[in-house]
Amino acid sequence: MAREFTTEITDTVVGSFSGTADPRLRELLGALTRHLHAFVRETRPTTTEWERAIGFLTATGRMCTDTRQEFILLSDVLGVSMLVEALNGHGDPGATESTVLGPFHLTRSPVRELGATIDLVGTGEQCVVSGRVLSRDGTPLPGAVLDVWQADDRGFYDVQQPGVQPPGNGRGLFTADAEGRFRFRTCVPSPYPVPTDGPVGALLGTTGRHPWRPAHIHFIASAEGHAPVTTHIFVADSPYLDSDVVFAVKQSLVQDFAETDDPSLAEEFGVVNPFRHARFDLVLEQA
Ligand code: BEZ
Ligand code: FE
């Protein structure tokens, strides 16, 4: 009798959504019900364990504010964000690969001139990031827009340290020039731990996982007639490239921040020689 109930309830709940007008929503709710019930049948949580699970999700929601997104972080450390990315990716090996958005793209990046710095503090090692935005066939994309954000040299985003970092530190919105070129100055980013003062941090601690991300800079590149890409570049000599807590490293996104000793280039870029220089192109697929 009990066994019958435990299977019948799944069909009953799936059936309860049959009046959902939107067929995709009906499909998603049906699959969610079936998978969730299968998880419960497989793991047989006690009522105390289930209450703990609800308590964990409640705490995750309570941790969310305008500047803190604990549910995105949960999705990230469970590898779900990367799975969604992978299943929605373009799959075109010639275009720049995508990776997670992350929880810190929360504010509008300030518009900046090409060549400007996004490092408003100036405590880190300076570097130049430059390249071109190209279409898949190599055509430059003048007017392409690059939204850029990164943590400071101590591993914190501006939104994590209001009153310590100026708003907009580590962020910039750039428009590529007539040849699709972009360049900006910044500090070499550092590896940083994802926030560990909430339920996701507790999950990592309890399971013996480290919370670190390798050093990276975020980009969203967009251009007319092309699919936008949300991605990072990772610093080639950074620790944690092999064990990113959110599973977001793709080899094609790892870039050298090369030690560069070139006084005339330093002058052109407005940096002190020698400096570190990351050069790479962003390639967009046609929409
Ligand atoms: C980030 O790179 O900003 C990030 C991504 C996933 C989780 C936490 C932080
Ligand atoms: Fe980040």
Side-chain angles (χ1 to χ4, degrees), residues 54-267:
I54 302 278
F56 175 80
L57 292 175
T58 305
T60 301
R62 288 210 173 114
M63 201 75 199
C64 295
T65 66
D66 287 350
T67 55
R68 175 78 182 255
Q69 232 308 347
E70 195 77 357
F71 267 113
I72 295 183
L73 190 57
L74 180 59
S75 159
D76 293 338
V77 304
L78 292 178
V80 178
S81 305
M82 276 310 283
L83 189 54
V84 172
E85 271 294 330
L87 292 170
N88 284 282
H90 46 64
D92 177 345
T96 298
E97 290 195 277
S98 60
T99 190
V100 288
L101 175 68
F104 295 120
H105 187 250
L106 291 166
T107 58
R108 183 175 283 276
S109 297
V111 173
R112 300 194 196 279
E113 295 293 319
L114 285 178
T117 188
I118 62 171
D119 174 14
L120 309 182
V121 179
T123 48
E125 185 182 5
Q126 63 180 329
C127 73
V128 173
V129 178
S130 70
R132 290 170 307 164
V133 188
L134 305 171
S135 188
R136 180 66 182 81
D137 63 4
T139 314
L141 294 172
V145 174
L146 285 190
D147 191 348
V148 179
W149 68 107
Q150 73 168 79
D152 69 3
D153 58 309
R154 289 165 194 161
F156 292 101
Y157 286 85
D158 58 347
V159 291
Q160 294 177 283
Q161 295 189 309
V164 176
Q165 291 187 42
N169 187 38
R171 297 179 194 268
L173 197 63
F174 295 93
T175 301
D177 71 11
E179 274 99 52
R181 288 179 305 208
F182 68 88
R183 69 173 188 285
F184 60 92
R185 289 173 287 137
T186 184
C187 61
V188 179
S190 301
Y192 64 82
V194 299
T196 53
D197 57 342
V200 174
L203 173 73
L204 295 174
T206 305
T207 55
R209 283 178 56 183
H210 77 67
W212 288 87
R213 296 219 61 209
H216 59 274
I217 303 178
H218 296 259
F219 292 84
I220 299 175
S222 49
E224 214 171 302
H226 291 74
V229 66
T230 299
T231 193
H232 307 356
I233 55 167
F234 293 94
V235 181
D237 56 3
S238 174
Y240 307 110
L241 284 172
D242 293 337
S243 63
D244 183 3
V245 66
V246 301
F247 312 99
V249 178
K250 292 179 174 173
Q251 200 48 46
S252 68
L253 304 177
V254 177
Q255 300 290 340
D256 243 358
F257 280 58
E259 286 288 352
T260 306
D261 185 355
D262 184 335
S264 62
L265 202 56
E267 194 178 337

